[in-house]
Amino acid sequence: MSVIVFTPSLSKRKELLKIITHAHKQWKFRIALAVFLFVLSAAVIVGMAILLLMNPTTIEGILAFSGAGICFSSIPFFIALSVKNTAKYKCGFPYSSYANASLLLNDDSLEYVFWRVGPHEPAAYSSTRAVYRDEDKFTFTINKSDIASLCVRNEICYIKGDGILQMPEWAVANNITTENCKEFSFIPAFPENNFSKRIKDWRSYNVRTED
């Protein structure tokens, strides 16, 4: 059986993360807070405009009031942006931290390669400006014979068994760059729409071959 390769898709990643984040129990609260802050920012500008209309002043006064209004309104505005981005990242975690992921299904093993990113990195939000260095990649590998279970549920692929997670040196504190991994999951952010069927067929083929 030849190697099956799934390459990353930014649009699919956005689509799946949107589904996952919106289903999170904290999503509505976080977004409601962001909306409130956006409205508050707009209210400051509107209030300043009304104040100027009701109390005509000089050009210097208008400029001074306008500058103060913009400064005051920018505070809740930027806080709202931060709250919104934090909601996207935390409500989609850990999948929001897996970027540029690809999957290789070999005859005898499964290999998932990804880059781990934080909430302040462009890659967390599927930006095309993200840069990925080979020495920073993470790799989850599991032999087909060590897979206890594999399923795709609610836009997430779950794997249980005896796998290994290979990590870059900067991500560890004890110089041990490999970690035994009994459970691992990821979102199939690939352009193929038949991922669930293909990975199940791959698993079934390998199980039958072993028997």
Side-chain angles (χ1 to χ4, degrees):
M1 184 179 181
S2 60
V3 178
I4 301 174
V5 180
F6 293 91
T7 56
S9 168
L10 290 179
S11 59
K12 190 68 174 181
R13 184 173 184 268
K14 286 182 178 181
E15 176 188 332
L16 296 182
L17 284 177
K18 182 178 180 179
I19 294 173
I20 293 171
T21 54
H22 286 204
H24 196 281
K25 60 182 180 180
Q26 291 186 7
W27 173 257
K28 291 183 178 179
F29 169 76
R30 290 176 180 271
I31 292 302
L33 177 59
V35 170
F36 169 76
L37 290 170
F38 279 128
V39 172
L40 180 60
S41 177
V44 172
I45 295 293
V46 173
M48 190 66 66
I50 293 175
L51 184 62
L52 287 173
L53 289 174
M54 295 179 63
N55 300 277
T57 184
T58 62
I59 297 297
E60 291 79 6
I62 292 175
L63 292 175
F65 274 101
S66 298
I70 292 173
C71 289
F72 283 117
S73 66
S74 65
I75 295 174
F77 178 80
F78 286 111
I79 293 176
L81 285 179
S82 177
V83 170
K84 184 179 179 181
N85 286 336
T86 300
K88 287 182 178 180
Y89 187 82
K90 288 193 173 182
C91 292
F93 191 84
Y95 311 110
S96 54
S97 69
Y98 299 168
N100 197 41
S102 58
L103 177 69
L104 287 77
L105 301 178
N106 302 297
D107 284 343
D108 58 354
S109 65
L110 176 153
E111 186 175 294
Y112 182 78
V113 181
F114 64 99
W115 278 256
R116 196 175 71 186
V117 296
H120 303 297
E121 296 178 67
Y125 308 101
S126 302
S127 170
T128 56
R129 297 183 291 107
V131 177
Y132 304 100
R133 298 185 300 176
D134 189 67
E135 61 268 25
D136 291 333
K137 70 181 180 182
F138 289 69
T139 304
F140 169 76
T141 306
I142 186 168
N143 293 326
K144 64 179 181 181
S145 57
D146 293 328
I147 297 177
S149 66
L150 187 156
C151 69
V152 179
R153 184 175 67 253
N154 296 331
E155 315 300 338
I156 301 171
C157 181
Y158 297 92
I159 301 173
K160 291 184 179 181
D162 295 318
I164 295 176
L165 181 63
Q166 180 74 38
M167 301 169 286
E169 293 183 358
W170 60 261
V172 299
N174 51 9
N175 295 323
I176 299 176
T177 57
T178 58
E179 177 183 299
N180 294 330
C181 203
K182 296 292 185 181
E183 296 184 7
F184 190 80
S185 60
F186 61 90
I187 57 172
F190 314 117
E192 293 83 1
N193 292 321
N194 60 344
F195 172 80
S196 180
K197 180 180 185 303
R198 292 185 68 183
I199 196 169
K200 287 178 181 177
D201 288 346
W202 169 82
R203 173 59 180 152
S204 298
Y205 174 85
N206 282 284
V207 169
R208 288 198 299 269
T209 301
E210 288 175 359
D211 295 340

